[in-house]
Amino acid sequence: MLLHVIARGKIGRSPEADLVARYEKRLAWPVKFTELPDSGGRIPEPQTPYKTVLLDERGQDFSSEKLAGTLERWRDDGMRECRFILGAADGHSQEDRHDADLLLAFGKATWPHLLARAMLAEQLYRATTIIAGHPYHRSG
């Protein structure tokens, strides 16, 4: 299953970009990062069937194990792509929230977009290592 991170705004050359690149290199699953302008731009057509996850402060706060279990189930159900969408500064529209398969939050705090992107890259790496039984994640 392709893990596709779609984010508004440019990460440019930054410490956060270095973190994203570090986890991107480690991921054994196919991964793609798409950047869109703060407004406008076109989200690429998905590989179907697919799931959409919006990073949203009002979303569910999953443990790493629960995220891994969700991705594993979707993969085993034949999903070809899982899209993780990080919105612009104003977040996502009500329509986008309604249409999403999952609203995911990294706790109750609001995170800067660049940090959220780096945190997502790490959590995707962590989830895939949990699924593979790799010792990177230490439970408890």
Side-chain angles (χ1 to χ4, degrees):
M1 178 170 68
L2 172 67
L3 302 173
H4 189 176
V5 177
I6 302 166
R8 295 266 175 205
K10 301 288 183 190
I11 199 166
R13 293 180 137 186
S14 64
E16 296 88 356
D18 292 342
L19 279 172
V20 169
R22 179 184 305 169
Y23 291 110
E24 180 180 10
K25 287 177 191 170
R26 291 180 180 179
L27 270 158
W29 288 28
V31 64
K32 178 180 179 180
F33 289 85
T34 299
E35 287 186 334
L36 298 172
D38 288 330
S39 62
R42 187 171 166 87
I43 294 177
E45 289 298 317
Q47 295 180 29
T48 56
Y50 69 100
K51 294 288 187 179
T52 300
V53 178
L54 297 186
L55 276 284
D56 189 288
E57 65 189 5
R58 291 171 258 180
Q60 297 178 61
D61 187 9
F62 276 19
S63 68
S64 296
E65 292 91 349
K66 185 169 182 177
L67 178 60
T70 300
L71 292 177
E72 184 175 33
R73 187 177 71 254
W74 287 348
R75 180 201 64 189
D76 293 349
D77 287 346
M79 292 302 125
R80 293 187 61 213
E81 182 175 335
C82 183
R83 313 176 115 206
F84 293 85
I85 303 177
L86 292 97
D90 293 333
H92 303 286
S93 70
Q94 187 60 36
E95 180 182 353
D96 288 342
R97 278 190 202 91
H98 180 267
D99 292 344
D101 296 290
L102 174 65
L103 299 179
L104 181 66
F106 291 138
K108 293 186 184 283
T110 302
W111 294 97
H113 282 79
L114 297 184
L115 274 180
R117 203 178 311 185
M119 291 166 54
L120 175 60
E122 192 280 337
Q123 283 299 295
L124 294 176
Y125 173 69
R126 183 175 298 272
T128 59
T129 62
I130 290 169
I131 293 166
H134 186 279
Y136 175 77
H137 178 73
R138 293 177 184 90
S139 221

